Amino acid sequence: MQSLDALAREAVALANNQPVGVAAGAGAVDEVARQMQICNACRYCETFCAVFPAMTRRLAFGAGEAHYLANLCHNCGACLHACQYAPPHEFAVNVPRAMAQVRRETYTEYAWPRAFGALYRRNGVTVAVATAGGLALFLVLALAMRGTLWHAPLAGNFYAVFPHNLMAGMFGAAFAFAVLALGVGAARFWRGQSPGAVTGPAAAEAARNALALTYLDGGHGDGCNEQDDAFTLARRRFHHFTFYGFMLCFAATCVATVYHYVLGQPAPYPVTSLPVLLGTLGGIGLLVGPAGLLWLNLRRHPLHGDPRQRPMDRAFIVLLFGTSLTGLALLALRDTGAMALLLAVHLGTVMALFLTLPYGKFAHAVYRGAALLKYQVERRQPNRLQLGGD
Ligand code: HEM
Ligand code: SF4
Ligand code: SF4
């Protein structure tokens, strides 16, 4: 039995949003190692997700293994709710929390430039500052360009406010930096894994697992736990709205770039054109998905994940929602005198999103994608331990 003292310490830690279940002085990696030793003996959750089969291929859990398993964990909560050693048991096994704590270390340690890794630690503040900066920058620019934020209708001609080359240059540079920073992080992570050769079938299966979010099904197809023991597919569904909404918005931008540079057709495009249709569909997904994810996040069980990362999760969700809301408002009111103001607000929000892509929750897509790929590579290799498992 866990002593009253230990229970009280845990309650105080939870109330202060501090990690619980971590032995005094132990780091996040040590805590994953401690819990994986227990799980490796127990193996009750072997069929729940990819983490447990990957665990059975190992006897020791150093930093490389912990970072891999942490990013493989989808924080579905199934193993916490099933675990006979979960708090208040003195073993205090809480795999999703231990994994979430290591995930934050992954983001911080592999960040490029390294010093920017600190931005993950107070990420709510990071995103708020970037948003305020982005909004201020574009409002000032719009004022400087036109002398006023309210004007006679311009028939949706954005370039009458911000010249095309200025917009393309600023966003191209911010996006290229985000790709570089996330790419360096992913390469560092990958190098630390020595995963072996990537084959076509392994890459295809990993892509399928990422696109379908296979491991958000709790291992039985009924879904994750949110606020209690009940299973729900709501997180997976809202994530699909978010993910595919984001991809459609990205596709809309790519198609518009082709229209501009290849076909010589500059914006604005009619409501029935491909870029506007893709952007509108994507924008709706990016409203529904983040709204649902925020609703679930606010109701989530206090023992799930790492409470210190909730500001990062919520800031990213709100930024995605804001990007979509301001984009759709701009589309609806582009023929009015409010266009310059709405354009400045939308561009400021998108700039904040781009600048914080490598230093916030978006990083999960890159590291989780890499972990899923490693898993598919690894499970095609012989299991030298021969101790059961996948
Ligand atoms: C390889 C691709 C991706 C995978 C495997 C993936 C997986 C996941 C998983 C498992 C979670 C839930 C775990 C948690 O609560 O931390 C999550 C959360 C989230 N994902 Fe993704 N994701 C991917 C890409 C994306 C993309 C491209 C976006 C949007 C741009 C996105 C937006 C979100 C948001 C907003 C959350 C937060 C939900 C919350 O806090 O409850 N994801 N993702
Ligand atoms: S989480 Fe608990 S029940 Fe599941 S394998 Fe680990 S110790 Fe066993
Ligand atoms: S929380 Fe879900 S994904 Fe993570 S280890 Fe447990 S069962 Fe697997």
Side-chain angles (χ1 to χ4, degrees), residues 28 46 58 66 82 88 90 176 211 219-220 255 289 311 323 348 364 390:
E46 221 166 35
R58 300 169 160 76
E90 63 185 326
L211 295 176
H220 36 61
V255 172
T323 302
H364 79 284
D390 194 8

Side-chain angles (χ1 to χ4, degrees), residues 38-39 42-45 52 79 83-85 93 95:
I38 299 170
C39 293
C42 164
R43 298 198 176 185
Y44 179 78
C45 302
F52 295 97
C79 59
C83 185
Q84 61 272 40
Y85 304 122
V93 172
V95 177

Side-chain angles (χ1 to χ4, degrees), residues 174-239:
F175 187 67
F177 179 79
V179 171
L180 176 68
L182 286 168
V184 173
R188 284 177 175 163
F189 173 79
W190 196 248
R191 254 201 321 272
Q193 295 297 330
S194 46
V198 176
T199 60
E205 182 72 7
R208 201 187 64 76
N209 289 335
L211 295 176
L213 279 186
T214 309
Y215 300 115
L216 268 187
D217 72 353
H220 36 61
D222 296 331
C224 316
N225 297 102
E226 290 296 337
Q227 74 273 34
D228 53 31
D229 284 348
F231 301 114
T232 164
L233 285 166
R235 192 162 7 149
R236 185 198 261 180
R237 288 181 179 142
F238 285 127
H239 193 285

